[in-house]
Amino acid sequence: MPDAREPLICLKNAGLEKAGRWLVRGIEFSVRPREIVTLIGPNGSGKSTTAKLALGIHRPSEGEAQRKNGIKIGYVPQKIAIDWTLPLSVERFMQLTQSLSPAQISAALEATGIAHLAKAEVRNLSGGEFQRAMLARAMAAKPDFLVLDEPVQGVDFAGEIALYELIGKIRDELECGILLISHDLHVVMAATDQVICLNGHVCCKGTPDAVVESAEYRRLFGDRAAPALAIYQHQHDHTHLPDGTVRHADGSVTDHCHPDDGHHHHEIDHSEPVTNANRKNDHV
Amino acid sequence: MFDDFFTRAIIAGVGVAIVAAPLGCLVIWRRLAYFGDTLSHAALLGVALAFLLQVNITLAVFVVCALVALALVGLQRHATLSSDSLLGLLAHSSLALGLVVLASMTWLRIDLMGFLFGDILSVSIVDIGIIYLGGAAVLVVLAVIWKPLFAATVNRELAEAEGQNPDRTNLIFMLLMAVVIAISMKIVGVLLITALLIIPAATARRFSTGPEQMAVIAAIVGVAAVVSGLFGSLKWDTPSGPSIVVAALALFLVSLSPVAGIIINLSKRSLGEKL
């Protein structure tokens, strides 16, 4: 079990320059085990570029991108075009970079809801089915660090909620860190620990509700975004302590929080790991 | 009928077809047909240099192909020209350069047609040894890098993110291509090597449900094309290379026909019953 405090990946003032243009600059954040970090931002704001810096696909032109040694990485890219000449079944696609047992394959396909498509050819899948196959592939090998670039694109609304629940479950079960890229702020908000709002640089970051309330965020997305997210604005009435206990607003400390407690307070800089078994209850 | 040279040609051709099959599949999946063409055109420059410097032809062809492949990678990274223009530039200038160098050696009397279109008469025991040793080496290396190479073929960034080194596997793949071109030049000739890579793989596509299966079926199709092409070449006194390619084309056309469709449906049905 890796040290929960040590970041899996860490970007320090990272920037990428291509053809004289800075795609992103001054990116600073880290992802720790059991943490979901969500990148949001308008088109062309450098979300995918930032993820690729974190993955090591791009080397930063300035600053640093550090990955912890020996961590296992799972990646769901934003777009993959599978050439029609490639005879590739979902099962075989699952084992692209890793060897899996039949049980691992069927468990991952079961979890993403496409167990019946194990033998189907990848190029015949619909957009949503393919996204599920990519997520199944990435989660099957139990990665330490998972990067999901718009993982629910093309998935219908009911499926979207189920996949977000699954992503939360993956985090709980594998205890991995997740970097999630989303255009879909209000659904992601529910499970995420830290939101980073990008626009070529980090324009704001923090807990989901802190970001929504920030002036930078409103300037970027306009005032209309705030009401749409209002359902996720909430009161902090208790704090999770590093030893797993919960301190309530009245100062009392209990072993864990309760579904009717209201919402959690997370440290914006996440200097403390979030150790909360019940977290899902109060976000749903 | 089984003259000694003919048996040697069959053995050599079968070896080349088996080695070319998996690489041909990769050429198709990676859309590198024109890249293969460029390398094989450059092979003639290798032939010319071999005569000029008095070195082994197969070795010279391999070295020139490998250098052209590396030049291509370098140029693609920095050049302002598009990939296909670069390929065209390299393919035809190296072919022309090879022809000019060959012609300038006035003391040399060689059968150019044999290099361009293959020459079964010239296949020696040594050639067979080179084909089988080189081919075995190619298949062993390919087996070792198959998984990362295939992952990088499906998606380069995904392979790189998940801890593989696509640049290195791509480089090895290009060197393997150079080896295959060097050893198959004598059988089909420099102008037709790409056909031997692509056509069996394209024929196999309709019958395959997995990448490894497609490589094996392509090898079977390639062997069938070599054997029937060489028999045709003997019977009608046609050049060996073009005859093999025509045979491969015939097999490809059969694979597109309704008869093949029926076979595919039958095999899928029997597969479905097993599941």
Side-chain angles (χ1 to χ4, degrees):
Chain A
M1 171 81 200
D3 179 7
R5 283 174 161 275
E6 197 185 335
L8 295 162
I9 64 108
C10 187
L11 295 187
K12 287 179 183 162
N13 192 33
L16 185 70
E17 187 189 14
K18 274 232 170 107
R21 199 168 77 92
W22 284 96
L23 299 177
V24 292
R25 209 169 181 184
I27 305 292
E28 191 130 3
F29 70 90
S30 62
V31 181
R32 292 181 164 79
R34 292 187 56 80
E35 188 178 29
I36 297 181
V37 174
T38 301
L39 294 178
I40 56 170
N43 292 339
S45 59
K47 301 186 294 281
S48 294
T49 307
T50 302
K52 285 173 189 175
L53 281 171
L55 286 164
I57 294 174
H58 296 324
R59 318 252 174 291
S61 319
E62 67 171 24
E64 274 180 74
Q66 296 169 339
R67 277 166 304 283
K68 199 173 142 188
N69 275 338
I71 59 168
K72 200 166 185 182
I73 292 175
Y75 179 35
V76 174
Q78 187 177 13
K79 283 187 215 96
I80 289 195
I82 302 285
D83 198 286
W84 75 268
T85 57
L86 256 174
L88 187 61
S89 69
V90 171
E91 270 179 330
R92 182 66 179 75
F93 179 63
M94 299 275 294
Q95 306 197 60
L96 208 53
T97 62
Q98 61 208 356
S99 293
L100 299 171
S101 69
Q104 283 175 308
I105 293 175
S106 59
L109 291 176
E110 199 84 52
T112 51
I114 50 165
H116 59 292
L117 293 174
K119 302 225 183 300
E121 276 210 40
V122 167
R123 67 190 172 94
N124 293 334
L125 300 183
S126 75
E129 286 168 343
F130 186 54
Q131 284 304 126
R132 288 162 192 265
M134 293 226 287
L135 186 59
R137 195 198 66 78
M139 69 177 273
K142 307 197 183 334
D144 303 305
F145 177 50
L146 192 55
V147 176
L148 310 171
D149 196 344
E150 304 200 356
V152 296
Q153 56 179 319
V155 176
D156 53 56
F157 185 65
E160 203 174 296
I161 293 170
L163 283 190
Y164 278 123
E165 276 174 8
L166 175 66
I167 291 167
K169 215 163 90 188
I170 292 171
R171 185 265 313 270
D172 294 340
E173 282 173 11
L174 304 183
E175 308 201 322
C176 59
I178 296 178
L179 180 63
L180 186 69
I181 296 180
S182 178
H183 55 274
D184 187 359
L185 186 61
H186 33 292
V187 182
V188 171
M189 298 296 269
T192 199
D193 297 300
Q194 184 174 199
V195 177
I196 293 163
C197 186
L198 281 179
N199 194 13
H201 60 283
V202 176
C203 77
C204 55
K205 63 174 174 176
T207 55
D209 40 313
V211 167
V212 172
E213 282 157 18
S214 87
E216 292 277 351
Y217 172 82
R218 283 172 189 254
R219 201 173 305 135
L220 200 59
F221 285 98
D223 281 335
R224 272 191 334 182
L229 295 157
I231 47 170
Y232 293 104
Q233 286 178 353
H234 44 249
Q235 303 295 318
H236 300 142
D237 66 352
H238 66 285
T239 306
H240 290 270
L241 302 173
D243 60 357
T245 56
V246 174
R247 186 175 61 223
H248 294 272
D250 58 9
S252 64
V253 174
T254 58
D255 280 342
H256 53 82
C257 59
H258 307 282
D260 56 348
D261 269 350
H263 287 276
H264 303 154
H265 172 72
H266 301 307
E267 298 290 336
I268 285 180
D269 64 0
H270 277 262
S271 55
E272 291 171 1
V274 180
T275 50
N276 168 24
N278 255 0
R279 61 166 42 248
K280 261 192 305 182
N281 291 337
D282 49 5
H283 284 299
V284 172
Chain B
M1 183 180 167
F2 275 96
D3 292 333
D4 206 15
F5 78 87
F6 190 73
T7 315
R8 286 201 298 272
I10 294 263
I11 293 170
V14 165
V16 165
I18 290 170
V19 179
L23 285 165
C25 290
L26 286 158
V27 166
I28 285 200
W29 299 331
R30 300 182 146 223
R31 300 173 178 248
L32 288 176
Y34 207 29
F35 172 77
D37 231 20
T38 303
L39 287 196
S40 50
H41 281 43
L44 198 74
L45 181 59
V47 172
L49 291 178
F51 281 114
L52 193 65
L53 306 172
Q54 301 285 314
V55 292
N56 179 282
I57 292 181
T58 310
L59 188 70
V61 169
F62 166 73
V63 170
V64 168
C65 287
L67 288 178
V68 167
L70 293 181
L72 204 69
V73 173
L75 284 172
Q76 273 173 343
R77 249 175 228 170
H78 306 289
T80 45
L81 275 176
S82 64
S83 279
D84 61 331
S85 308
L86 272 175
L87 286 166
L89 189 147
L90 277 171
H92 297 113
S93 46
S94 54
L95 181 67
L97 207 56
L99 289 169
V100 166
V101 171
L102 277 176
S104 69
M105 290 182 277
T106 46
W107 62 92
L108 199 69
R109 297 181 64 86
I110 57 157
D111 175 20
L112 190 59
M113 290 296 274
F115 289 107
L116 293 179
F117 298 111
D119 184 7
I120 45 170
L121 279 166
S122 72
V123 174
S124 64
I125 296 290
V126 175
D127 289 326
I128 290 178
I130 290 173
I131 287 171
Y132 276 80
L133 281 178
V138 167
L139 289 181
V140 167
V141 173
L142 194 61
V144 171
I145 65 164
W146 180 260
K147 196 157 190 161
L149 185 60
F150 183 70
T153 301
V154 172
N155 190 277
R156 191 188 182 286
E157 294 193 330
L158 199 150
E160 190 168 12
E162 298 189 355
Q164 293 173 345
N165 190 340
D167 284 338
R168 198 180 55 199
T169 40
N170 283 354
L171 194 67
I172 297 172
F173 169 67
M174 285 183 179
L175 294 180
L176 294 184
M177 285 280 290
V179 174
V180 167
I181 284 164
I183 64 174
S184 49
M185 189 186 64
K186 240 180 192 164
I187 306 300
V188 284
V190 296
L191 294 182
L192 296 172
I193 290 171
T194 316
L196 192 65
L197 288 167
I198 292 174
I199 301 177
T203 310
R205 173 63 190 95
R206 260 187 101 189
F207 303 97
S208 321
T209 52
E212 292 81 10
Q213 193 194 14
M214 180 162 152
V216 171
I217 295 176
I220 294 168
V221 173
V223 168
V226 164
V227 172
S228 50
L230 285 177
F231 270 105
S233 149
L234 190 70
K235 185 158 189 229
W236 291 293
D237 195 23
T238 48
S240 62
S243 307
I244 290 170
V245 174
V246 168
L249 174 69
L251 290 172
F252 175 70
L253 292 175
V254 168
S255 84
L256 293 181
S257 70
V259 181
I262 293 166
I263 295 171
I264 290 167
N265 282 337
L266 280 176
S267 66
K268 275 191 183 151
R269 203 170 300 157
S270 65
L271 198 73
E273 278 162 9
K274 266 185 251 164
L275 295 175

